[in-house]
Amino acid sequence: MKTGSVEVRHALTSRDAAVMAAMRAAVAAAKGTMSGPEARGPFDEVMAHTPSASGVDYEEANIGGIPGVWCRPHGARPGAALLHLHGGAYVLGSAHAYRNFVGQIAARTRTAAFIPDYRLAPEHAFPAAIDDARRVYRGLAEQGARQLVIVGDSAGGGLALVLLSLAHADAVSGRGLAPSAAVAMSPWTDLTLTGASFTSRADADPLVTHEMLAKTRDLYLGGHDARDPRASPLHGDLTGLPPIQLHVGDSEVLLDDSLRYATRARAEGVDATVHIWDGMPHVFPANVGALDAADAALALVATFVDTTLGT
C-alpha cells in the first residue's frame, strides 16, 4: 500500500472464498428481487442477522425531528458522533434493522452512532431523504456534537456523500458545523447507472442488478434529474471535502460508483482512499464474524476514525 494512494486492493482469503461460494448458492434465487416496498420485511430480516456488539447500549431518540436509534458504546469518546445513513436503495431499510451492524461500527470506533429513520420512497420521494439527513446533521450539532463523521452504506453511502458536500458548503458559508470525515461502504454515487461495472460485474454480483436499481431509482426520483448532485454525489462539488474512506467489493455492479467518486475527489485534492475487496459482495462489512474481509474492513474504519478524530 502506498501512502495517499487512491486504490488499495485486498486479496480474498481461502476462508472467505468458501463462505462466498456457499452464500452465492443460498441467495441465487433472490438476486435482484428486492426492488420495492414489499421487500421491506425480508430486507430488514437480512440486516438484523449481523451479530450484536458487546458493550453497546441502544436507545430510541428523535434528532432534528427525525426518529432513529442511538448506538452508544461504553466509554465513547466525548463530543463526537457518527451519523449512519442506512442502505436499501431509498426504498428499504430501517434504523432498528441496522442497529446491530452500526453497533459493531460504534464499538470499534468507540464513538456513539445515530441511525435516522429517514423517509423512504415511493411514499416520500426525492428530496425527502436528503432533507431528513440534513435535519439530523444540524440536530446533532445543536445537541453539542463538536466532531461529526458521516457514514453510510449502499444508497445510504451515496446519501452520506451528498450530505458531506452540503454540510461542508454550509460550514464554509458560516452556517453550520464542518464534517470531520466520511466513510462509505458500497456507495451508490451515480443514479444515472452508467458505471462500466454494471456490465463487467453483472454476473459476478450475487445480489444486485441494474434492473433492480433502475426500479428503485425511479421510485425515489419520481422523474427528477438523476444528475442532480443532491441525488448523485458523483456529480456534486467535491472541492475542499474532509478525508473520505470507501470500501467496495470487486464483485459488485456498483464497483465503478466508488472508483469514479474516489478519482474525482482526489482530482479535487481530497484525501480519498477506496479499499477494493476481491470476491466481496455488496455491503460485505455487515457480515461481521462470517467474513474475514468484514472484520478487516471495520478495523480499517476504526483506524480511520481514530486518526481523524484523535485517539
Side-chain angles (χ1 to χ4, degrees):
M1 171 180 174
K2 296 181 180 179
T3 302
S5 61
V6 67
E7 297 179 12
V8 182
R9 184 168 289 276
H10 302 269
L12 180 69
T13 67
S14 57
R15 174 175 179 264
D16 281 358
V19 172
M20 283 306 307
M23 183 184 296
R24 285 177 180 279
V27 304
K31 179 174 178 174
T33 60
M34 293 192 179
S35 58
E38 68 282 353
R40 286 174 183 165
F43 181 85
D44 279 5
E45 289 179 11
V46 170
M47 292 309 305
H49 285 162
T50 302
S52 61
S54 61
V56 178
D57 296 326
Y58 300 94
E59 171 193 351
E60 293 186 2
N62 188 296
I63 305 293
I66 309 300
V69 174
W70 273 111
C71 309
R72 299 185 184 276
H74 300 171
R77 70 181 84 226
L82 309 180
L83 168 52
H84 188 108
L85 297 164
H86 69 74
Y90 296 106
V91 174
L92 314 172
S94 68
H96 183 79
Y98 264 76
R99 55 187 271 167
N100 286 353
F101 179 31
V102 179
Q104 292 283 355
I105 299 172
R108 286 165 168 77
T109 61
R110 299 177 295 107
T111 308
F114 184 73
I115 321 162
D117 267 317
Y118 61 85
R119 289 171 292 171
L120 300 177
E123 298 92 330
H124 305 282
F126 175 88
I130 188 58
D131 286 347
D132 289 357
R134 297 186 81 177
R135 290 170 66 186
V136 173
Y137 185 90
R138 295 189 190 109
L140 289 170
E142 290 168 0
Q143 289 193 7
R146 301 186 302 275
Q147 294 177 299
L148 281 172
V149 177
I150 306 172
V151 185
D153 64 281
S154 190
L159 189 60
L161 296 174
V162 171
L163 179 60
L164 183 71
S165 287
L166 294 175
H168 172 74
D170 284 345
V172 170
S173 300
R175 293 181 282 119
L177 176 69
S180 297
V183 176
M185 292 164 276
S186 303
W188 189 8
T189 69
D190 182 16
L191 272 63
T192 68
L193 304 178
T194 56
S197 51
F198 277 108
T199 299
S200 66
R201 301 301 192 274
D203 293 333
D205 195 316
L207 301 169
V208 183
T209 68
H210 184 282
E211 181 183 16
M212 168 186 162
L213 291 181
K215 288 180 179 178
T216 58
R217 184 266 315 273
D218 292 346
L219 290 174
Y220 175 53
L221 292 182
H224 192 82
D225 184 3
R227 289 183 60 88
D228 188 322
R230 295 174 299 160
S232 296
L234 179 66
H235 304 294
D237 183 2
L238 311 188
T239 307
L241 294 181
I244 303 168
Q245 185 179 91
L246 303 101
H247 294 270
V248 65
D250 187 68
S251 294
E252 297 193 49
V253 292
L254 285 175
L255 172 63
D256 279 350
D257 275 46
S258 287
L259 299 183
R260 290 185 296 159
Y261 182 89
T263 298
R264 267 215 63 211
R266 294 287 296 188
E268 297 295 336
V270 180
D271 179 6
T273 298
V274 55
H275 292 269
I276 307 162
W277 298 80
D278 289 345
M280 287 296 104
H282 192 58
V283 195
F284 68 89
N287 295 282
V288 176
L291 289 171
D292 294 334
D295 293 287
L298 292 188
L300 289 170
V301 171
T303 300
F304 176 70
V305 171
D306 272 348
T307 300
T308 302
L309 301 185
T311 57

